[in-house]
Amino acid sequence: MAISPPYPPYPPHPGGPTEDGSLRHAHWWQRRWVRYGAPITLLALSGLVILALVREQTGTEGFLVGLGLAVLPVPLLIAAFRWLDRVEPGPWRNLIFAFAWGACAAALIAIVANSFATKWIATATADPSSADTLGATVIAPIVEESAKAAAILLVFLFRRRDFTGLVDGVVIAGITATGFAFTENILYLGTAFGTDQLTGDSGIASVTVATFFVRVIMSPFAHPLFTVLTGLGFGFAARAGDHQHVRRVLVPLCGLLLAMGMHALWNGSSTFGEFGFFAVYAAFMVPAFGLLTWLVVWTRQRELRTVREELPAYAAAGWVTPAEPYALGSMRARRLAREYAKRHLGRPAARAVAEYEAYATSLAFLRHRGRSGRASADFVVRERELLNELWRRKDVARPALDHAARMTAPPLRVAVPAGPWPVYGGYGYGQGHGQGHGQGHAPGYAYPAGQAYGYGYGYPAGSYPVANPYQG
């Protein structure tokens, strides 16, 4: 009689059956329509309110001009953050939520809170000029960075599987700040256009052109740069172990305080004299931008190295082929694999290879966290899910990755034990005939003929431990 391999069961679903077979009733806040409907409704209402407020302050014509100019840097910024996230791309729904939160909810909070605080200070001190300065240098940085940090916190808490390190924090923070800057730029550019309409200025000397140059040409990365400091704090917290509660709380707070400080310095640069803005820009903003860019690129290279170091353990077990750790650890090889699949099998195959690359990267990171003592309680279940996804796509992905490995990597210098898997391109593969070969199973393992599991595929027996090997 066929016996299933010792896979641990999935944790019970909130609305699924219990151990005795009775149905488990999910709490109302765990229902899918609540989890997705509530934030969508909140963001939609915020968007309508912020649209009305901005249009009221700029006028219809000013709003349209501001919208047309403010949208210009958005695709470039999103593409830049998406490029940073190419090693383990996060789901688009997280990015859409982050951008919508920044553009709608965070912008609405900032406009309402900043206006209220500035008016209150002006009334209390009877000095509107000082109130405006204090509002810009103290109130605005605190309110705006806190509002943007809320999006990072929500993704960190409710999409924890997608938030595993520094790059994830940087990307979510950057996309949120891009949305916030987009709405803010509409307001500033639309107001500048209205001023030019009243004064009759036009051309290079107009307020609109000056505002566009400062906010869109010189400093499109200003808001993303501030909020990325908060994102780095959450990224370091994501790398902490579950028992490191102090680090998980204090590091994000430190990042938020740094973001507020840099934001205050930037807003206060206009009070430092005629050239105060340019001095702050050259002495602080540009070096900080360069340092953070280097840090993120270095982190991405370290992630690729992690893939190359962790996946060979799964190659030894037959889950991936010996060449795949090298191919998956190179962005050029990944691109070649997708192009190879697209050229021979079309776009769906290229998409399957891209998904395979993403799941394999997540698997490598999961194992790395486990070996570092940072494995979560669902380590085994998550590992099985990722291996399931790899196995479903192996027939398309393996030949493409083998081709990419042979095109980009030097020949293997060490002898690789010949395994009984099929030969795709000779890159470290051997031939053999294992039980289950040709039946859709991972050959070479003692597995009953025809036995299948999960999505109709067989798996290497014993690949999943019964207990988490990384927890004592």
Side-chain angles (χ1 to χ4, degrees):
M1 181 177 68
I3 301 175
S4 297
Y7 295 134
Y10 283 108
H13 189 273
T18 59
E19 294 182 359
D20 60 2
S22 60
L23 290 178
R24 183 187 304 272
H25 295 286
H27 297 291
W28 66 269
W29 63 81
Q30 294 175 315
R31 298 183 185 276
R32 185 180 182 88
W33 67 270
V34 174
R35 291 187 291 113
Y36 286 91
I40 290 175
T41 302
L42 172 64
L43 292 175
L45 291 175
S46 300
L48 292 175
V49 175
I50 196 70
L51 175 64
L53 289 176
V54 173
R55 182 181 172 277
E56 180 183 0
Q57 295 189 37
T58 62
T60 301
E61 191 174 0
F63 173 80
L64 294 176
V65 171
L67 176 63
L69 296 176
V71 77
L72 294 178
V74 171
L76 298 177
L77 290 170
I78 292 179
F81 286 111
R82 194 61 178 171
W83 176 83
L84 293 175
D85 201 30
R86 285 177 62 199
V87 175
E88 189 189 19
W92 273 104
R93 64 175 179 269
N94 291 348
L95 304 185
I96 293 172
F97 166 78
F99 184 87
W101 182 277
C104 300
L108 179 60
I109 293 171
I111 288 180
V112 174
N114 288 342
S115 299
F116 174 80
T118 302
K119 289 180 180 178
W120 182 83
I121 294 172
T123 302
T125 62
D127 187 356
S129 177
S130 298
D132 289 340
T133 302
L134 186 62
T137 58
V138 178
I139 304 299
I142 294 175
V143 171
E144 294 176 9
E145 295 308 321
S146 298
K148 289 182 286 183
I152 312 172
L153 176 63
L154 290 173
V155 176
F156 182 83
L157 293 178
F158 296 104
R159 287 289 182 265
R160 191 66 182 84
R161 283 186 173 182
D162 304 327
F163 203 127
T164 58
L166 298 182
V167 174
D168 297 311
V170 167
V171 171
I172 295 299
I175 296 294
T176 303
T178 298
F180 182 89
F182 168 66
T183 300
E184 192 178 65
N185 284 342
I186 295 176
L187 179 60
Y188 277 91
L189 290 166
T191 303
F193 179 80
T195 302
D196 289 333
Q197 292 290 93
L198 292 175
T199 60
D201 293 334
S202 61
I204 197 69
S206 65
V207 179
T208 304
V209 171
T211 304
F212 179 82
F213 178 76
V214 171
R215 299 191 63 87
V216 177
I217 302 299
M218 285 192 65
S219 57
F221 58 85
H223 271 290
L225 178 60
F226 308 147
T227 313
V228 158
L229 295 173
T230 306
L232 285 175
F234 278 97
F236 281 112
R239 294 172 55 85
D242 291 338
H243 61 283
Q244 296 176 308
H245 301 294
V246 175
R247 176 179 173 182
R248 292 167 68 91
V249 173
L250 290 184
V251 175
L253 285 177
C254 290
L256 177 59
L257 291 176
L258 286 174
M260 292 176 180
M262 180 163 283
H263 195 157
L265 179 65
W266 174 254
N267 285 1
S269 61
S270 59
T271 65
F272 298 158
E274 183 179 357
F275 300 102
F277 168 80
F278 296 100
V280 170
Y281 185 86
F284 293 95
M285 298 295 291
V286 173
F289 179 77
L291 180 62
L292 288 177
T293 301
W294 171 84
L295 175 62
V296 174
V297 172
W298 175 82
T299 301
R300 200 177 87 151
Q301 294 302 315
R302 191 179 65 173
E303 290 180 341
L304 291 172
R305 186 169 64 250
T306 298
V307 171
R308 292 192 295 268
E309 293 173 351
E310 299 295 346
L311 286 184
Y314 295 99
W319 285 101
V320 300
T321 56
E324 287 180 38
Y326 301 94
L328 292 167
S330 165
M331 297 306 297
R332 177 169 176 259
R334 290 185 177 205
R335 176 177 55 81
L336 289 176
R338 295 192 298 271
E339 292 174 351
Y340 180 87
K342 181 180 179 180
R343 185 166 60 250
H344 289 83
L345 298 175
R347 289 183 180 274
R351 186 162 50 249
V353 173
E355 292 169 350
Y356 187 96
E357 293 169 351
Y359 286 123
T361 304
S362 297
L363 182 64
F365 292 171
L366 179 71
R367 177 178 170 82
H368 181 71
R369 290 195 299 273
R371 291 201 308 110
S372 303
R374 296 182 282 112
S376 58
D378 67 341
F379 174 90
V380 176
V381 174
R382 180 58 175 163
E383 184 185 44
R384 180 178 68 172
E385 291 174 353
L386 294 171
L387 289 173
N388 273 345
E389 299 296 343
L390 293 182
W391 203 255
R392 292 175 60 192
R393 297 163 176 82
K394 66 179 179 64
D395 292 335
V396 174
R398 283 185 175 180
L401 288 169
D402 176 78
H403 167 78
R406 287 185 286 110
M407 293 295 293
T408 59
L412 294 177
R413 299 296 184 184
V414 284
V416 178
W421 42 76
V423 177
Y424 293 116
Y427 193 85
Y429 299 105
Q431 295 188 13
H433 302 280
Q435 187 174 0
H437 180 64
Q439 300 174 3
H441 302 288
Y445 293 87
Y447 205 83
Q451 177 69 21
Y453 188 84
Y455 294 95
Y457 298 98
Y459 301 93
S463 293
Y464 289 109
V466 178
N468 188 340
Y470 300 119
Q471 291 185 342

